[in-house]
Amino acid sequence: MPAALLGATLLAGCAGSPPVHYYTLTGAALPASATQAQPAPAFMLEVLPVNVPPQADQPQLMLREQEGGLTPLYSERWSAPLADELRGALADTLTRVLQAPDVQAMRAPAGAPVWRVVVDVQRFESATGVEAIVDATWRVRPVNLKGQAWQCRSISRVAVSGTDAPSAVHGLRVATRDLALTIANAIQDGTGHPQPGSPQVQLMGCNRISE
């Protein structure tokens, strides 16, 4: 094939490729009840790296079809590895709600009071035109301060009416925010039993732990 024809063919192929869109989980709007002025906390936050299920840990969005299959959207991608997106979104919501700094962005002094947050996500998916689900086991533990450590499992479900990628991302972003709000409640309530951070969250069980 002549070089000119080959070049024209390649250009035609590139011209026909759909544009790539990038999405983030960070920046979900907070409910009014979570934005009320609070006194500055006497602790910092340490949100550890988040575990995510392999089927969801892909650079592109994975949509679950109603018959159960997964459809990859290769032109609709996360702006960072999904584990980083989740950790960033959880830390973003927690720092805004609790008004406490994240030690990943600011090193904690030796002996500083810290709430440590560990999250293991079992399901992270959006069913096309139905709902977004974030099902996670999580643990909060106070370090160098008084408080009750908890290990809980919660499921965040957010209705999704649209069948496009932005609708799926919006649902997953809100479900991730609601997970963070539930974790924030466990930290704020001290020794009280954790409460769902939203009516869209179902707490499957919380156990007191000692470490």
Side-chain angles (χ1 to χ4, degrees):
M1 180 182 293
L5 180 58
L6 176 60
T9 302
L10 291 175
L11 287 173
C14 292
S17 300
V20 176
H21 303 106
Y22 292 92
Y23 302 92
T24 183
L25 293 171
T26 303
L30 297 178
S33 59
T35 58
Q36 298 174 356
Q38 300 180 35
F43 59 82
M44 304 177 77
L45 293 166
E46 182 182 15
V47 183
L48 296 183
V50 176
N51 291 324
V52 296
Q55 63 269 27
D57 192 15
Q58 305 294 329
Q60 66 273 359
L61 270 66
M62 304 291 291
L63 293 188
R64 183 169 295 281
E65 303 300 336
Q66 295 186 16
E67 66 274 11
L70 288 174
T71 299
L73 304 182
Y74 292 106
S75 297
E76 315 295 332
R77 302 179 185 177
W78 297 113
S79 62
L82 185 57
D84 294 341
E85 281 288 333
L86 279 162
R87 200 218 76 88
L90 293 171
D92 173 68
T93 298
L94 287 169
T95 55
R96 285 190 288 154
V97 172
L98 300 174
Q99 297 296 304
D102 176 16
V103 297
Q104 174 158 311
M106 177 179 177
R107 182 182 296 275
V114 172
W115 274 96
R116 185 167 294 151
V117 179
V118 180
V119 178
D120 183 8
V121 176
Q122 276 82 51
R123 292 175 67 193
F124 180 88
E125 62 186 38
S126 182
T128 304
V130 181
E131 64 180 357
I133 299 175
V134 177
D135 180 349
T137 299
W138 48 273
R139 182 172 60 193
V140 293
R141 182 169 75 89
V143 179
N144 299 321
L145 77 161
K146 292 182 179 180
Q148 175 61 54
W150 292 94
Q151 180 166 305
C152 306
R153 181 188 171 201
S154 62
I155 301 178
S156 306
R157 297 179 182 271
V158 176
V160 175
S161 57
T163 58
D164 57 354
S167 297
V169 171
H170 175 75
L172 291 168
R173 185 183 296 123
V174 174
T176 302
R177 179 207 66 186
D178 289 351
L179 167 60
L181 292 174
T182 304
I183 294 172
N185 282 347
I187 294 173
Q188 285 177 314
D189 291 344
T191 58
H193 197 280
Q195 298 297 315
S198 160
Q200 303 170 126
V201 176
Q202 181 181 11
L203 270 177
M204 305 300 292
C206 281
N207 298 312
R208 296 175 185 267
I209 57 176
S210 58
E211 299 184 24

